[in-house]
Amino acid sequence: MGELGFEPRIVALCCHFCAYAAADLAGALRLQCPDSIHVVKIPCTGDLDVRDVLAAFESGADGVMIAGCMEGDCHYQTGNLRALKRVERTQQVLTEAGVGGERIRMYHLSSAMGGRWAEVAREMDAHIRQLGPSPLRPVGGASAGES
Ligand code: FES
């Protein structure tokens, strides 16, 4: 059940070639995306490390989206497939740590999928609102996506 007055902070790690371009397109088309989503451009989801995701939670994220190219379309061959395995491992770590593995999700998008980006952004926002604040969220401290 969601917490009253809770405003989630969600870090969206988006690969430069597809997901970031899709997020950009959604913005250009003025599609409605929640303010809770903070897009961070990365070269490829295959570069992600479990520690990068944990660092996002430690700096105040309530949820993390990993968004890469469609399966088979990664510009670095199998980066998004490697990322999928790391996401699964990170989900296990988060579950064992009591944070909740369901706070991280992976999506696959092409650069033309501005509409789909807006849809998954709203879906992730609703999902994290339902879960409530991350137990790792610093009280009164700096938050993810703010500097
Ligand atoms: Fe997009 Fe690898 S370049 S996931």
Side-chain angles (χ1 to χ4, degrees):
M1 189 66 181
E3 194 173 296
L4 208 61
F6 167 55
E7 284 305 317
R9 298 166 191 152
I10 299 164
V11 174
L13 299 165
C14 298
C15 95
H16 166 77
F17 289 101
C18 292
Y20 184 82
D24 212 27
L25 178 60
L29 294 173
R30 301 190 186 281
L31 301 176
Q32 203 185 351
C33 292
D35 292 339
S36 59
I37 310 283
H38 301 275
V39 174
V40 177
K41 182 161 65 170
I42 58 173
C44 171
T45 58
D47 294 340
L48 276 180
D49 194 86
V50 172
R51 283 169 297 190
D52 298 325
V53 179
L54 295 180
F57 282 105
E58 281 166 4
S59 56
D62 300 297
V64 173
M65 298 169 72
I66 312 291
C69 302
M70 299 295 284
E71 286 190 33
D73 283 346
C74 171
H75 288 61
Y76 298 94
Q77 310 287 326
T78 57
N80 52 1
L81 302 179
R82 282 202 312 277
L84 201 53
K85 287 201 178 104
R86 287 188 192 137
V87 165
E88 286 167 5
R89 197 158 358 116
T90 309
Q91 285 171 329
Q92 284 171 6
V93 171
L94 290 172
T95 298
E96 285 163 16
V99 178
E102 66 276 23
R103 290 183 182 277
I104 171 172
R105 284 185 171 173
M106 181 156 187
Y107 296 95
H108 299 274
L109 297 116
S110 78
S111 57
M113 292 176 144
R116 175 69 182 142
W117 168 261
E119 197 177 287
V120 298
R122 289 194 296 266
E123 179 186 298
M124 187 69 178
D125 177 77
H127 172 62
I128 298 298
R129 281 180 193 277
Q130 188 72 22
L131 291 176
S134 160
L136 292 183
R137 191 185 231 216
V139 180
S143 62
E146 295 173 6
S147 53

